[in-house]
Amino acid sequence: MAIFLVACAKEAALPIEANFDVEVVDKDYSVPVAVKINNQTEGADTFQWTFEGGEPAASTDKNPGTVRYSEKGEYKIRLVASNRDGIEEAVDYELVIDEAIVPNFEINVEGDDYAPVTITIENTTTGATTYNWTFDGGIPPKSDAHTPGKIVFQEPGDHIVTLEAGNGRETETITDTVTVASDVFADFDMEPAFEDDDFQAPVTLNLFNKSMNATGYEWTFETAEPTSSIATDPIITINEPGVHQIKLKAYNTKRSATKIKEVTVYENTNLRILEDVVMGISTAHNSNLKGALYSTITRQVYHASSVPMDDASTIDIAFFALNQEFNFNKFVTLDEVQDYTFEPMPNAKHTKFINLQESCECEASLSVAEFDALEDDGLLSEMIIEETMGGIQDFDDSVVPRIVLFETADGRKGAIKIKEFVADGINSHIMMDVKVQKQ
C-alpha cells in the first residue's frame, strides 16, 4: 500500500512545443520594416524573446507585438519557452531585412532639345539589384541595364522614361519626362509705320517674327534697306514702288524652315486721303461727345478734354458750328480758337482756310468733281492759299457738298469736302472727307 501511494504522487512532466509565426507588415522587407509576432507555443508558462537588431531587443510577453528594424541585414529572432516543471525549449527564426529601394535617375540631353534628341541617364538608385527601364517613343524602347546606353527620341512631344527598380522581393517605380521640341516653324507679320499705312514709297515696315522652335534667323530683303538682317524683329525701308519679296529663314542646330511673303509698294502720290471724319458742333465738343478739332498728322479727332495739355501743335483743323441748325459754321485757325468758345491751345499753329471759295476773290479754287478726282497732290501743289476777308467768312448748310481749302503751318495744302450736316441735338455734327499733302 505505501509503495503504491508514493508512485501515484509523481505526476508526468508536461511537454513544450515552442513555435511562432512572423508576419512582415505589408510584405515590405525594405527598411524600415515592421514585423508582427504570433506566438503559437503550447505547454509553456514563461517566454523569453530576443530580437537581434530589432526594437525592442527583448521581451517576456507571451505576444510581444510589433518589432521594428531600421538597418538592413540578417537577424535572428529567438524564443525560449519554459514551464513550471522546468521544461525548456528554444526555437529560432532567421529574418533577412533588405536595404530600402530609393529609385532615382537624372536625364542628360546631348545638345539641344530639337528632334532628334539623344539622352544619357545617370542612375543613382540605391537598394536595388534589378532595373527595368521603359522609354516611351525611344530607341531602344527598353533596357534592363543598371545604366542604359544612349536613347534617341525622333518624334516631337513629351516622352515618359520609367524605371522600375527591384531587389527580388519588391519594386519601386519612378518616372521622368523628355520633351522633344517640334519642328522649326517660320512665319512673320509685317506692319507699316503709321505714316506709311498707304504703302506709298518710301515705306518703313516693322517685321514681327512669329517663328517657333528656332534659335536663329536670317532675313533677306534684296530691294530694301538693309538688304539682310539676323535680328528677331527687324525694321526695313522700301524706297521704290513695285512688288517686293521678304524672306525669313528660321533655324536651330538641326533643322530650318523658310517663309516668303510679298508686299506691294505704290507710287508716291504725296496725297493723304482721310474719309468719314466726324466733327461736332460747339456743344458736342465742349461736352466731350464729338470733337471739333482734328489733326491731319495723327489722324485723330479731339474733344475738349482730350486736347494735349502741353503741346497741341499737331492739331491743324478746327471746326466751329454755333448750333444744330448749322446757320453759322466756319473752319478757324488754331491760334484763334479762343475766339470761338474753345479753350486756348498750347503751342497752336496757324492754318489758313478758305471757307467760301465763292467769296474769296482769290485764285485758289477746287470743285467737288475735282476733289473727287484727286489722286495725287498735283492740283493742290499749284494752289496759292490766301486768307481774305471774304474767304474766311462763315457758311450755312445750304450747299452740300461744300469744299473748303486750307494750308497748314508746315506748308501742306489740302481740301475738305463736307458731305453731310447731321442735326442730332447736342450730338449734331458734320461728316467730311479730307485730302491733304503729305509734306
Side-chain angles (χ1 to χ4, degrees):
M1 176 77 65
I3 294 173
F4 175 77
L5 291 174
V6 170
C8 290
K10 291 184 178 180
E11 298 179 2
L14 293 176
I16 293 176
E17 293 183 10
N19 191 24
F20 61 91
D21 285 340
V22 174
E23 177 190 353
V24 177
V25 175
D26 296 330
K27 297 183 180 179
D28 182 4
Y29 287 84
S30 300
V31 292
V33 174
V35 174
K36 291 183 178 180
I37 307 297
N38 181 21
N39 192 350
Q40 297 179 339
T41 300
E42 296 182 357
D45 301 309
T46 59
F47 307 92
Q48 181 62 51
W49 299 89
T50 54
F51 307 109
E52 182 183 6
E55 183 183 345
S59 176
T60 57
D61 294 339
K62 180 178 181 180
N63 289 294
T66 300
V67 182
R68 302 184 184 280
Y69 295 84
S70 58
E71 300 290 339
K72 71 171 185 175
E74 297 182 4
Y75 302 105
K76 180 187 293 184
I77 298 176
R78 162 164 284 213
L79 168 62
V80 177
S82 58
N83 59 22
R84 298 184 186 90
D85 297 329
I87 304 300
E88 183 177 278
E89 185 171 343
V91 61
D92 295 328
Y93 181 91
E94 295 293 333
L95 178 65
V96 178
I97 302 297
D98 299 327
E99 181 182 358
I101 300 175
V102 182
N104 192 38
F105 63 88
E106 182 176 346
I107 296 174
N108 299 304
V109 177
E110 294 186 353
D112 54 40
D113 58 356
Y114 301 108
V117 169
T118 300
I119 69 166
T120 57
I121 292 179
E122 181 182 356
N123 187 357
T124 56
T125 300
T126 57
T129 56
T130 62
Y131 308 91
N132 182 17
W133 299 90
T134 302
F135 311 109
D136 175 37
I139 302 174
K142 296 180 180 296
S143 175
D144 59 4
H146 174 273
T147 303
K150 294 184 177 183
I151 304 98
V152 179
F153 299 91
Q154 295 182 325
E155 297 300 323
D158 292 335
H159 302 270
I160 305 300
V161 176
T162 303
L163 169 61
E164 185 181 85
N167 60 13
R169 292 198 288 196
E170 57 188 294
T171 60
E172 294 287 343
T173 301
I174 189 175
T175 63
D176 201 352
T177 302
V178 175
T179 300
V180 180
S182 300
D183 286 346
V184 176
F185 172 77
D187 195 15
F188 62 93
D189 286 336
M190 47 189 170
E191 181 178 303
F194 177 74
E195 62 274 12
D196 295 329
D197 60 351
D198 57 4
F199 285 88
Q200 294 183 8
V203 175
T204 296
L205 291 175
N206 299 286
L207 303 179
F208 299 101
N209 200 331
K210 297 168 58 181
S211 302
M212 299 176 62
N213 304 312
T215 57
Y217 309 99
E218 294 178 1
W219 297 88
T220 304
F221 331 101
E222 294 182 355
T223 56
E225 294 180 1
T227 57
S228 64
S229 176
I230 59 173
T232 302
D233 301 305
I235 299 174
I236 64 172
T237 299
I238 301 175
N239 293 299
E240 298 298 327
V243 178
H244 302 265
Q245 194 175 86
I246 299 174
K247 180 180 178 181
L248 167 62
K249 178 183 177 182
Y251 62 88
N252 58 37
T253 57
K254 298 168 184 173
R255 305 188 185 208
S256 66
T258 301
K259 185 71 173 183
I260 298 175
K261 290 187 178 183
E262 290 184 341
V263 58
T264 300
V265 175
Y266 303 97
E267 290 280 355
N268 184 15
T269 66
N270 201 38
L271 186 69
R272 177 77 62 191
I273 299 175
L274 309 165
E275 298 180 323
D276 298 330
V277 178
V278 173
M279 300 192 76
I281 64 174
S282 177
T283 51
H285 175 84
N286 292 321
S287 300
N288 299 315
L289 298 175
K290 286 182 171 63
L293 303 176
Y294 185 69
S295 169
T296 59
I297 296 174
T298 65
R299 292 172 243 164
Q300 183 176 347
V301 175
Y302 299 88
H303 52 63
S305 65
S306 63
V307 175
M309 299 298 294
D310 54 346
D311 185 4
S313 60
T314 60
I315 300 175
D316 41 34
I317 293 177
F319 172 69
F320 174 74
L322 184 62
N323 52 48
Q324 65 174 334
E325 281 75 32
F326 295 104
N327 50 28
F328 185 97
N329 318 287
K330 67 186 302 186
F331 289 92
V332 297
T333 181
L334 281 298
D335 52 0
E336 296 177 3
V337 293
Q338 61 271 19
D339 298 334
Y340 296 89
T341 73
F342 296 96
E343 291 293 329
M345 291 194 300
N347 200 24
K349 303 299 182 181
H350 187 89
T351 301
K352 294 186 286 186
F353 288 100
I354 301 177
N355 286 301
L356 294 176
Q357 294 187 66
E358 60 270 33
S359 303
C360 179
E361 298 183 355
C362 56
E363 295 182 5
S365 67
L366 189 72
S367 69
V368 172
E370 288 173 327
F371 178 95
D372 293 340
L374 282 180
E375 293 183 354
D376 58 42
D377 73 333
L379 281 178
L380 294 175
S381 64
E382 296 175 355
M383 287 185 184
I384 299 176
I385 306 298
E386 299 178 83
E387 287 183 314
T388 67
M389 291 301 295
I392 64 173
Q393 296 303 308
D394 61 279
F395 55 87
D396 58 24
D397 60 354
S398 60
V399 176
V400 181
R402 172 175 290 278
I403 304 299
V404 174
L405 303 177
F406 67 91
E407 182 177 348
T408 63
D410 58 7
R412 292 175 296 117
K413 300 170 187 177
I416 298 168
K417 182 175 81 170
I418 301 176
K419 301 188 293 184
E420 187 177 4
F421 292 85
V422 180
D424 185 22
I426 195 174
N427 286 299
S428 297
H429 59 276
I430 61 171
M431 178 78 72
M432 67 185 194
D433 293 341
V434 181
K435 294 185 178 181
V436 62
Q437 289 179 305
K438 295 181 183 178
Q439 58 184 12

